[in-house]
């Protein structure tokens, strides 16, 4: 409902009345140019009257400009006062009201305090992220002498993307410069904005390793190893992380590239491959970042050639969920790809699973990767452990370090195990060019995992005996049963010396475990190395046969009678390398010889009776070895305490003086990736005995495979990528989560206890929020702005005064915001409690567990937390988002203020100094463009959206136009001191804040479009040309350029407005982070409603539309624009 001035009589400034006639619309249009001086001259008087009428039902408090909560229908106490006092109070109230209307910079003490607190908290979080719980960088740079051959004939005749993308073949200068293919094809796929040249380090390592090692290894050649043809695709640095259609385009091109690569091996002119070998039928894929997701998407595309891909290795790839959710196509593409893989592995029979032959390995960089959260690299919800796994770089033997997003492409410690694992997985005698799936999985686990995992396969039962050990029955070389073997200063003897430990018999009451640790490497050859560990069995042999049957013969009997012969297996193939830990050690990746470690359960040694440690060292360096059989109950301890208690009080435990070589503590309650702890260890006192090594710590999770080592432990950071926000549940039921485990290797010869304490690191924990919740600022600010606008419209409809953004923010801080965040906190606790509930009725692998039994979207709501202990995150991010909106408001105010200065100077110069006073008093309140021009501009923009430009570009234009409108409104509000001008400026400014909060959701797709223009790819986006997605914004912005203030609504329409803004706030909080792209469309609907309110008091005729756009009102006495 629009407010009307009385047509009968109004009280003028002198207390007299004057009758005002109501001329027709045509008469007003004819006489407007001549009457504008008189109308503007009395505008201040009219505006004062309107303010008085608006303030009549409002009681103003003396300390603020907020309307009181008293009913507008209460009796007016001023009626009983003398006329002079009434006038003074009205003037005082009007002065306070005008002060507020003219002070958009004003801010209450509550908002100032809350904003400063939030800024301090934000700086604290950012400081924690950049300075606390940081991993040390241990990567070495890889240097190459590379050259690439471009396949110019792979053009638009082979693929429709031939003019946008290209294919290249890597060759190493000085090793292989021939462009003909001759080995096994491997294709590198770059990620978001990545370059095809990122393949150089990995490709160079494969070339050098082949020519320097594999080519001279006859055993490897006979096993199927050969050279590698390393291909790489050039995507022109596409932004696949922002756009789903671009991801699908790349997947389609990659399938075309695979078909083309395989065709090269059939062409004798382009291939030097041995004709006796089968031509390749598949290509090994290596994808970095979003390239790993594109590799998985290939198998879902219609142009995928069956069985053309069976091995995929991804590096820092966000598999579990999209890194951003600003594009609807990207979110849907992710869902389709992941559903495809889950459905394939949910089949009961292998014949129904078209991905049965595929192995997928995901390598994550850890906390050093600040581009993509490493939690998203998990495959637990996509692939069973029989077909793939996730491993962190800190777990890979020999690397023991995290890596950032780009380091993973050139880190020497990473590219070497990847290259060697590929060679070991090859079998050139098979058409697929690779070993079977089970063999490939064993190869990848051996190269990427630590070997200490409970599921690690031991090779000891599968190898043949290689040594014969002869012992005298009464020899002192046999260590007493149950006694630990400690060897110092190995190599004191001139000939090999054996030390034998008897293996406890099977069925021993206490479960035993064999552990061995030494600072010498274990060797397999009989004539090389310094130390060997043999597992022996009693086996009678015929005299004279030992030398011909075994590669090593150790006789400790000196030819005496009554000797026992043992046939032995070498355990070097099960060697586990651990970082060396000495007093001088600083990092696990220090350039020192690593420790050699062996670990066997008693069940693994069932066919053996003795363990022999053979000392073949020469010289007398500070070398040592420790071997023992320990009680499993003493070496594995579970700390059963709740997570809340650990966070509140920490945990303290002690390593006893009589302890095994390795002690493991399991803490099932610690499984969250949002928590960080500090571990402190007491000194290891060895007394008179020389210390062999300092304490070594391994912290790990069983799923995903993440291990982090700390050497020379005195204090260590404890944080892992466990259960993370928004992560989907595992693919099918697995073993119970054991949470965090801590393994300590300590010198057992010291004989002193060690105190260990574990306390929460609050500073480090706050830093963990950055990577997990950085997208929260795409959604939660809209929650705040929606509540602020809701309050502004409610007060405007009740009083006729559109308060400033900050004044409405102050209202919300005191009323609606605390209540809404309290409700959202309760909702988050409820969602977290339901998320932690145990899934039932889930079948094992062989019982056809379908994906319908698991809700993979159950952690998508609100903040995605799976633990009620993090209930405080909702009010925390609410406070941070509110302060963010305050800063956006003042930044917008500052920009508007700066822009209006030159426009005011230009206006003054254009009017001229001679008639400046007359012009200023006579100019209309808001200079609007013609309606035809605005309709034409909007039509052209909508036509461009329909054909060429995405609607995100039109939205950016709308934001710029709205900024210009705010500049003009601010200038006129300062020049013409009227309430209507201030009302309009406050309204336009709040709409600008709303649009600015939606702008970050539209910018990424706009960046993709601009990039496509830069590479001359003019194909329009099929999903971003819906004019309905931008038309309400354009209509609203164009309406506001006329200076037209939105009319006050009826009670019914006010309720609808409140519901709309409240629904926007709730959706932004509950679904906004996961489905951020929908926020644009919801705000677009809000804009449509505001346009409808603008037109609510006008007929829908063309003439009425023209008058509304022009800011004219055919039913009122005064124009509704300021």
């Amino acid at each position: 409902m629009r407010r009307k001035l009385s047509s009968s009589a109004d009280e003028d400034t002198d207390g007299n009345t004057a009758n005002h006639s109501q001329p027709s619309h045509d008469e007003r249009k004819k006489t407007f140019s001549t009457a504008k001086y008189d109308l503007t001259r009395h505008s201040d008087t009219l505006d004062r009257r309107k303010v008085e009428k608006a303030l009549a039902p409002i009681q103003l408090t003396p300390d603020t400009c907020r309307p009181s909560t008293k009913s507008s229908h209460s009796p007016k106490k001023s009626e009983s006062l003398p006329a002079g006092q009434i006038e003074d109070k009205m003037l005082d109230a009007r002065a306070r009201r005008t002060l507020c209307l003219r002070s958009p910079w004003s801010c209450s003490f509550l908002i100032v305090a809350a904003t400063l607190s939030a800024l301090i908290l934000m700086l604290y979080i950012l400081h924690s992220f950049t300075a606390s719980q940081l991993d040390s960088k241990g990567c070495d740079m890889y240097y190459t002498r590379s050259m690439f051959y471009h396949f110019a004939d792979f053009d638009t005749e082979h693929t429709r993307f031939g003019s946008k993308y290209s294919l290249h073949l890597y060759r190493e200068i000085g090793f292989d410069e021939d462009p003909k293919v001759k080995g096994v094809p491997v294709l590198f796929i770059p990620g978001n904005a990545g370059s095809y040249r990122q393949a150089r380090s990995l490709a160079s390592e494969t070339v050098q390793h082949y020519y320097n090692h594999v080519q001279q290894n006859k055993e490897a050649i006979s096993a199927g190893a050969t050279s590698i043809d390393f291909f790489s695709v050039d995507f022109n640095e596409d932004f696949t992380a922002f756009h789903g259609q671009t991801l699908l385009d790349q997947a389609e091109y990659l399938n075309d590239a695979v078909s083309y690569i395989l065709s090269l091996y059939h062409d004798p002119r382009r291939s030097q491959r041995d004709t006796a070998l089968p031509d390749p039928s598949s290509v090994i894929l290596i994808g970095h970042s979003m390239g790993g997701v594109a590799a998985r998407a290939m198998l879902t595309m219609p142009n995928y050639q069956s069985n053309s891909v069976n091995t995929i290795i991804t590096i820092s790839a966000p598999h579990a969920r999209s890194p951003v959710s600003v594009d609807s196509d990207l979110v849907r593409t992710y869902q389709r790809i992941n559903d495809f893989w889950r459905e394939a592995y949910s089949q009961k029979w292998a014949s129904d699973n078209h991905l049965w032959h595929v192995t997928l390995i995901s390598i994550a960089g850890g906390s050093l990767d600040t581009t993509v959260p490493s939690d998203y690299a998990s495959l637990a919800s996509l692939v069973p452990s029989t077909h793939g796994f996730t491993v962190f770089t800190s777990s890979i033997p020999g690397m023991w370090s995290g890596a950032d997003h780009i380091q993973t492409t050139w880190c020497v410690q990473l590219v070497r195990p990847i290259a060697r694992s590929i060679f070991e997985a090859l079998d050139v005698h098979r058409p697929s060019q690779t070993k079977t799936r089970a063999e490939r999985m064993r190869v990848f686990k051996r190269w990427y995992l630590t070997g200490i995992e409970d599921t690690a396969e031991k090779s000891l039962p599968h190898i043949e005996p290689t040594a014969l050990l002869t012992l005298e029955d009464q020899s002192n070389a046999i260590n007493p049963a149950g006694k630990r073997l400690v060897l110092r200063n190995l190599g004191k003897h001139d000939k090999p010396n054996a030390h034998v430990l008897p293996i406890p018999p099977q069925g021993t009451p206490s479960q035993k475990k064999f552990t061995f640790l030494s600072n010498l490497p274990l060797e397999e050859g009989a004539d090389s190395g310094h130390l060997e560990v043999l597992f022996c069995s009693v086996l009678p042999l015929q005299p004279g046969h030992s030398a011909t049957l075994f590669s090593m013969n150790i006789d400790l009997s000196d030819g005496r009678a009554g000797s026992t012969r043992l046939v032995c297996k070498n355990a070097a193939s099960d060697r586990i390398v651990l970082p060396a830990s000495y007093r001088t050690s600083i990092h696990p990746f220090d350039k020192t010889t690593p420790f050699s470690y062996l670990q066997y359960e008693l069940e693994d040694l069932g066919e053996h009776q003795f363990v022999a440690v053979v000392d073949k060292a020469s010289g007398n360096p500070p070398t040592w070895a420790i071997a023992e059989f320990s009680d499993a109950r003493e070496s594995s301890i579970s700390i059963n305490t709740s997570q809340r208690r650990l966070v509140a009080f920490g945990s303290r435990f002690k390593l006893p003086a009589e302890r095994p070589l390795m002690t493991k503590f399991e803490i099932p309650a610690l499984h969250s990736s949002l928590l960080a702890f500090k571990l402190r260890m007491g000194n290891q006192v060895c007394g008179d005995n020389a210390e062999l090594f300092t304490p070594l710590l391994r912290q790990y999770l069983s799923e995903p495979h993440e291990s982090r080592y700390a050497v020379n432990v005195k204090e260590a950071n404890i944080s892992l990528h466990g259960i993370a926000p928004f992560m989907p549940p595992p693919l099918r039921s697995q073993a119970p989560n054991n949470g965090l485990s801590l393994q300590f290797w300590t010198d057992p010869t010291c004989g002193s206890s060690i105190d260990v304490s574990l306390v929460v690191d609050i500073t480090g924990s706050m830093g963990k929020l950055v990577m997990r919740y950085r997208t929260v600022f795409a959604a939660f600010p809209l929650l705040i702005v929606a509540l602020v606008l809701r309050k502004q419209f409610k007060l405007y409809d009740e009083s006729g005064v559109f308060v400033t953004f900050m004044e409405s923010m102050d209202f919300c801080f005191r009323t609606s915001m605390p209540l809404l965040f309290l409700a959202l906190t309760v909702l988050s606790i409820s969602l977290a409690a339901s998320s932690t509930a145990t899934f039932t009725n889930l079948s094992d692998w062989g019982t056809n567990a379908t994906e319908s039994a698991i809700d993979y979207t159950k952690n998508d709501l609100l903040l995605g937390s799976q633990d009620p202990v993090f209930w405080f995150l909702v009010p925390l991010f609410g406070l941070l988002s509110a302060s963010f909106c305050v800063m956006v408001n003042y930044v917008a105010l500052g920009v508007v203020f700066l822009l209006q200065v030159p426009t005011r100077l230009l206006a003054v110069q254009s009017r001229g100094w001679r008639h400046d006073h007359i012009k200023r008093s006579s100019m209309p309140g808001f200079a609007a463009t013609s309606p035809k021009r605005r309709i034409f501009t909007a039509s052209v923009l909508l036509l461009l959206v329909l054909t060429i430009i995405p609607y995100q570009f039109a939205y950016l234009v709308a934001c710029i136009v709205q900024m210009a409108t705010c500049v003009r409104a601010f200038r006129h509000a300062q020049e013409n001191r009227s309430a209507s001008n201030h009302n309009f400026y406050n309204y336009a400014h709040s709409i600008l804040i709303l649009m600015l909060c939606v702008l970050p959701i539209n910018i990424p797709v706009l960046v993709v479009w601009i990039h496509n223009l830069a590479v001359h790819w003019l194909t329009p986006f099929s999903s971003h040309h819906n004019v309905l997605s931008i038309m309400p914004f354009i209509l609203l912005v164009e309406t506001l350029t006329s200076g037209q203030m939105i009319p006050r609504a009826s009670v019914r329409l006010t309720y609808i407005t409140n519901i709309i803004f409240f629904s926007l706030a709730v959706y932004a909080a509950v679904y906004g982070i996961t489905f951020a792209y929908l926020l644009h469309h919801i705000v677009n609907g809000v804009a449509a409603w505001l346009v409808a309110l603008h037109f609510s008091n006008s007929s829908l005729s063309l003439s009425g539309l023209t008058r509304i756009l022009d800011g004219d009102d055919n039913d009122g006495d005064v124009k509704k624009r300021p």
Side-chain angles (χ1 to χ4, degrees):
M1 297 291 294
R2 291 175 299 172
R3 286 187 297 111
K4 298 183 179 180
L5 296 177
S6 174
S7 61
S8 60
D10 288 331
E11 183 177 355
D12 60 14
T13 56
D14 298 327
N16 300 322
T17 60
N19 293 329
H20 301 279
S21 62
Q22 295 185 1
S24 65
H25 173 68
D26 295 335
E27 291 174 350
R28 286 202 311 272
K29 291 186 64 175
K30 292 178 181 179
T31 62
F32 177 74
S33 59
T34 59
K36 60 182 179 180
Y37 295 111
D38 295 334
L39 177 64
T40 309
R41 187 176 298 113
H42 296 286
S43 62
D44 289 341
T45 304
L46 295 174
D47 289 336
R48 189 173 70 246
R49 293 170 182 170
K50 289 187 286 185
V51 172
E52 291 173 359
K53 289 185 177 181
L55 292 174
I58 303 176
Q59 180 178 354
L60 299 177
T61 58
D63 57 333
T64 65
C65 301
R66 298 189 310 276
S68 69
T69 57
K70 296 183 180 180
S71 173
S72 61
H73 301 288
S74 60
K76 301 180 180 179
K77 298 181 180 180
S78 61
E79 294 179 355
S80 62
L81 297 176
Q85 295 184 18
I86 294 175
E87 184 177 1
D88 292 341
K89 287 184 175 292
M90 291 179 62
L91 291 174
D92 182 62
R94 185 164 62 249
R96 291 198 303 270
R97 182 72 257 172
T98 304
L99 179 62
C100 286
L101 287 173
R102 297 179 181 179
S103 301
W105 299 93
S106 63
C107 186
S108 68
F109 175 78
L110 176 61
I111 296 181
V112 171
T115 303
L116 290 178
S117 300
L119 287 176
I120 294 173
L121 187 59
M122 177 63 74
L123 293 176
Y124 175 62
I125 292 175
L126 293 177
H127 174 75
S128 303
F129 175 68
T130 57
S132 299
Q133 292 279 336
L134 297 181
D135 290 342
S136 300
K137 296 183 178 180
C139 283
D140 296 330
M141 178 73 77
Y142 202 104
Y143 297 95
T144 67
R145 300 179 62 194
S146 58
M147 59 187 302
F148 286 91
Y149 287 99
H150 174 219
F151 291 96
D153 58 335
F154 184 51
D155 50 17
T156 53
E157 294 184 1
H158 296 84
T159 175
R160 65 190 183 103
F161 300 101
S163 60
K164 184 180 182 182
Y165 304 142
S166 57
L167 180 67
H168 302 263
L169 174 64
Y170 178 90
R171 286 295 184 245
E172 182 83 2
I173 298 176
F175 286 91
D176 185 5
E177 303 178 18
D178 190 353
K180 293 184 177 181
V181 295
K182 57 181 69 69
V184 175
V186 174
L187 178 61
F188 178 82
I189 308 171
N192 181 62
S195 169
Y196 71 98
R197 294 184 176 274
Q198 289 177 326
R200 290 175 297 181
S201 298
L202 187 55
S204 176
E205 176 61 25
T206 59
V207 172
Q208 296 188 38
H209 182 67
Y210 172 76
Y211 284 101
N212 294 334
H213 300 92
V214 177
Q215 196 175 38
Q216 287 77 34
N217 190 337
K218 295 182 179 179
E219 183 179 351
I221 296 296
S222 62
T226 187
S227 62
I228 289 178
D229 297 319
F230 220 100
F231 297 86
S232 183
V233 289
D234 182 9
F235 285 141
N236 272 317
E237 300 181 0
D238 261 348
F239 293 95
T240 48
F242 302 152
H243 198 229
Q245 186 57 50
T246 301
L247 178 62
L248 294 177
D249 292 347
Q250 290 187 1
E252 180 180 341
Y253 177 83
L254 289 170
N255 280 325
D256 295 335
V258 167
S259 299
Y260 176 80
I261 290 172
L262 295 177
S263 68
L264 296 177
Y265 294 87
H266 299 286
D267 188 353
R269 298 170 300 175
R270 314 187 74 167
S271 174
Q272 291 182 348
R273 188 179 170 90
D274 188 353
T275 56
L277 299 175
D279 291 329
S281 63
S282 67
V283 177
I284 298 175
L285 302 181
I286 300 177
H288 176 253
S289 188
M290 290 299 293
V293 181
R296 286 200 304 119
M298 292 172 58
L299 281 67
T300 69
M301 301 297 293
N303 67 332
Y304 170 66
Q305 182 179 334
S306 180
N307 296 327
S308 60
V309 173
N310 68 4
T311 302
I312 304 176
I313 300 175
T314 65
I315 306 171
S316 300
H319 291 294
R321 60 180 285 118
S322 170
V324 293
S325 58
V326 297
D327 178 53
S328 60
D329 281 350
L330 184 62
V331 175
R332 297 190 187 102
T333 299
Y334 253 89
Q335 182 177 358
R336 186 169 65 86
I337 295 171
N338 291 346
D339 289 346
F340 178 87
W341 282 70
R342 289 165 182 156
E343 182 180 358
Y345 288 117
S346 66
Q347 302 301 317
K348 180 177 181 179
W349 306 108
S351 58
D352 298 329
N353 182 4
H354 38 275
L355 299 179
W356 182 261
H357 63 288
V358 177
T359 57
L360 176 61
I361 310 300
S362 176
I363 301 175
S367 58
L368 288 179
D369 189 347
T370 56
T371 303
V372 174
S374 291
D375 305 286
Y376 293 178
S378 174
L379 300 177
S381 64
L382 300 170
V383 178
S385 57
T386 55
H387 290 71
F389 58 86
T390 305
V391 63
F392 284 71
T393 56
S394 57
S395 301
I396 297 178
M399 183 169 182
W400 300 316
S401 169
D404 64 34
H405 202 67
I406 301 301
Q407 276 183 335
T408 52
T409 62
W410 51 257
C411 180
V412 173
Q413 291 86 342
L414 180 60
V415 299
R416 283 179 178 172
I418 293 178
R420 283 156 173 76
S421 66
I422 292 176
F423 276 110
E424 196 169 330
L426 297 180
D427 188 353
V428 75
H429 306 103
R430 294 165 51 90
S432 64
Q433 305 297 293
T434 58
K435 292 181 170 64
T436 63
R437 177 190 55 80
E439 291 176 314
R440 274 178 280 141
M441 286 297 298
R442 279 193 288 268
V443 169
F444 293 139
K445 287 181 178 179
R446 184 164 57 251
W447 278 101
Y448 301 148
L449 301 186
T450 63
I452 316 177
E453 295 80 8
D454 295 334
T455 58
E457 298 182 8
K458 302 296 184 181
S459 61
L460 184 66
H462 308 292
I463 60 178
E464 297 295 329
T466 58
L468 176 64
L469 178 61
T470 305
L471 295 176
E472 184 183 358
D473 292 344
Q474 304 298 325
S475 173
N476 56 7
I478 302 178
N479 212 51
K483 185 179 180 180
R484 179 185 297 120
L485 175 64
V486 179
L487 302 177
R488 300 174 183 267
N489 299 323
L490 300 176
K492 295 183 294 185
H493 304 280
D494 297 334
K495 60 180 182 178
N497 189 25
H499 305 270
V500 182
L501 283 79
I503 298 177
Q506 298 292 326
T508 303
S510 59
Q511 189 177 3
K512 296 291 185 179
K513 176 187 294 185
F514 173 78
T515 53
F516 171 86
L517 186 67
S518 177
N519 63 344
L520 288 176
L522 299 181
E523 303 292 343
E524 296 187 26
D527 300 326
S528 62
H530 303 283
L531 188 66
E532 291 190 21
V533 177
L534 308 175
F535 288 88
C536 307
S537 304
V538 177
L539 182 64
L541 296 175
Q542 296 296 328
H545 290 182
S546 60
T548 58
L549 293 177
F550 303 100
S551 59
M552 183 173 65
N553 182 11
I554 302 178
D555 189 355
L556 302 179
S557 63
D558 294 332
R560 300 174 184 174
S563 59
T564 302
R565 293 183 175 182
L566 306 176
V567 290
C568 304
K569 297 180 179 181
N570 196 315
S573 58
D574 289 332
R575 177 201 179 198
I576 300 169
V577 292
L578 297 177
S581 181
Y582 302 108
R583 289 294 177 187
T584 58
S585 300
I586 301 177
H587 303 296
F589 47 82
D590 290 340
K591 308 301 182 182
T592 55
T593 303
F595 290 169
S596 298
Y597 181 66
L598 292 174
Q599 177 177 297
Y600 293 97
E601 300 293 337
L602 193 59
E603 292 79 5
D604 300 329
L605 309 177
E607 63 181 49
H608 306 290
Q609 290 82 41
F610 297 96
V611 180
V613 179
V614 181
D615 176 13
K616 300 189 300 179
S618 58
N620 190 20
T623 55
W624 50 266
I626 303 174
E628 68 177 12
F629 283 93
S630 59
D631 192 338
R633 292 176 298 181
E634 296 178 356
S635 60
S636 182
I637 303 172
S638 180
I639 301 177
N640 296 315
T641 185
S642 66
Q643 181 171 259
R644 291 182 180 87
R645 185 173 181 82
L646 285 171
V647 172
F649 305 105
S651 179
R652 289 172 174 80
F653 46 91
K654 179 179 292 188
L655 298 176
E658 295 296 329
R659 60 181 179 271
L661 172 64
M662 187 277 295
T663 307
K664 180 174 70 173
F665 291 89
E666 295 180 351
I667 313 177
L670 291 187
H671 48 67
S672 175
S673 62
L674 298 179
L675 289 177
F677 288 82
K678 284 286 187 181
L679 183 141
R680 295 178 177 86
M681 291 189 67
N683 293 327
Q684 178 177 266
V685 181
C686 290
D688 297 333
N689 296 325
E691 185 180 55
L692 299 180
F693 63 97
T694 55
L696 171 66
L697 169 65
R698 172 189 175 229
Q699 49 178 309
Y700 71 94
L701 292 173
S702 57
E703 181 58 42
H705 297 289
E706 181 182 14
S707 297
R708 295 175 60 190
Y709 293 91
V711 297
N712 192 20
V713 180
K714 296 182 178 64
E715 182 175 287
N717 295 326
I718 306 295
S719 63
L720 293 169
H721 295 78
I723 298 178
F726 304 109
M727 290 295 293
L731 184 64
R732 54 178 54 85
S733 58
Q734 299 178 356
N737 187 1
N738 293 326
L740 174 70
S741 295
L742 304 173
Q743 278 185 304
F744 296 91
W745 285 270
T746 56
D747 189 348
T749 64
C750 291
S752 62
S753 61
I754 303 177
D755 294 324
V756 181
S757 64
L758 186 68
V759 295
V760 67
D761 183 4
I762 298 177
T763 301
S765 299
M766 297 299 288
K768 300 298 179 183
L769 299 176
V770 175
M771 288 301 298
R772 277 79 178 185
Y773 287 114
R774 57 185 177 177
T775 57
V776 76
F777 292 103
F780 267 48
L782 270 176
L783 181 155
I784 305 298
V785 175
L787 293 179
V788 171
L789 278 166
R790 172 181 169 271
K791 192 66 176 180
Q792 285 179 303
F793 275 96
K794 183 178 180 181
L795 294 175
Y796 174 65
D797 291 335
E798 292 176 352
S799 66
V801 177
F802 204 95
V803 299
T804 64
F805 186 87
M806 293 308 301
E807 192 172 355
S808 180
M809 175 80 78
D810 184 58
F811 283 129
C812 295
F813 256 98
R814 302 173 186 272
T815 55
S816 57
M817 282 187 192
L819 294 177
L820 181 57
F821 284 120
L822 177 61
L824 292 175
T825 301
V826 174
L827 177 61
S828 69
I829 295 174
S830 175
L831 292 174
S834 63
S835 177
T836 55
T838 305
F839 281 98
T840 58
N841 300 325
L842 289 181
S843 305
D844 292 334
W845 165 246
T847 58
N848 192 21
T850 61
E851 63 173 328
S852 60
I854 303 176
D855 181 12
Y856 293 102
T857 63
K858 69 187 185 74
N859 297 322
D860 289 346
L861 304 181
L862 206 56
L863 294 179
S865 176
Q866 304 178 43
D867 199 325
V869 76
F870 299 108
W871 61 268
F872 64 90
L873 291 180
V874 172
L876 171 64
F877 286 118
L879 177 62
L880 295 179
S881 298
S883 67
F884 176 79
C885 292
V886 171
M887 289 185 290
V888 171
N889 170 70
Y890 281 112
V891 168
L893 277 175
V895 173
V896 168
F897 178 79
L898 293 177
L899 291 178
Q900 65 89 26
V901 172
T903 58
R904 177 180 293 182
L905 294 177
L906 291 176
V908 169
Q909 293 179 1
S910 64
R911 288 195 300 263
W913 294 101
R914 186 170 59 89
H915 300 291
D916 179 69
H917 178 72
I918 299 178
K919 295 281 187 176
R920 284 173 56 89
S921 64
S922 61
M923 63 182 297
F926 203 90
T929 58
S930 65
K932 292 183 179 180
R933 182 176 180 180
R934 294 198 301 274
I935 293 175
F936 176 77
T937 302
S939 301
V940 170
L941 194 57
L942 291 176
L943 181 62
L944 291 176
V945 170
L946 190 62
T947 55
I948 300 176
I949 66 175
Y951 70 77
Q952 288 83 358
F953 181 83
Y955 184 83
L956 178 62
V957 173
C959 290
I960 296 175
V961 173
Q962 183 63 19
M963 176 67 74
T965 300
C966 289
V967 173
R968 297 165 64 195
F970 182 82
R971 181 167 62 90
H972 290 301
Q974 296 296 315
E975 293 177 351
N976 303 301
R977 305 290 182 174
S978 64
S980 59
N981 278 341
H982 282 283
N983 274 354
F984 178 76
Y985 170 70
N986 293 336
Y987 169 53
H989 179 79
S990 297
I991 296 299
L992 175 63
I993 299 299
L994 178 66
M995 296 180 67
L996 290 178
C997 288
V998 181
L999 185 60
I1001 301 175
N1002 293 279
I1003 288 297
V1005 175
L1006 184 60
V1007 170
V1008 175
W1009 179 71
I1010 295 175
H1011 174 267
N1012 283 349
L1013 292 181
V1015 298
H1016 309 292
W1017 182 255
L1018 305 180
T1019 302
F1021 297 156
S1022 60
S1023 59
H1024 299 293
H1025 294 276
N1026 185 357
V1027 293
L1028 297 179
S1029 298
I1030 193 62
M1031 181 183 294
F1033 282 115
I1034 295 178
L1035 292 178
L1036 179 61
V1037 169
E1038 287 296 328
T1039 301
L1040 293 178
T1041 57
S1042 68
Q1044 178 192 359
M1045 182 61 188
I1046 191 170
R1048 295 169 63 187
S1050 63
V1051 175
R1052 182 179 300 176
L1053 296 182
T1054 299
Y1055 287 152
I1056 297 177
T1057 304
N1058 286 341
I1059 293 174
I1060 289 176
F1061 280 110
F1062 186 77
S1063 300
L1064 171 60
V1066 173
Y1067 183 90
V1070 178
Y1071 295 97
I1073 299 178
T1074 301
F1075 304 101
Y1077 67 92
L1078 285 176
L1079 292 175
H1080 169 91
H1081 301 290
I1082 296 177
V1083 177
N1084 187 52
V1086 174
W1089 173 251
L1090 296 180
V1091 172
L1093 289 180
H1094 274 278
F1095 286 80
S1096 60
N1097 288 351
S1098 301
S1099 62
L1100 296 180
S1101 62
L1102 182 60
S1103 60
L1105 175 63
T1106 303
R1107 287 193 294 271
I1108 289 294
L1109 289 176
D1110 193 30
D1112 198 6
D1113 189 351
N1114 59 354
D1115 294 327
D1117 297 321
V1118 182
K1119 300 184 82 173
K1120 283 301 182 181
R1121 55 185 171 181

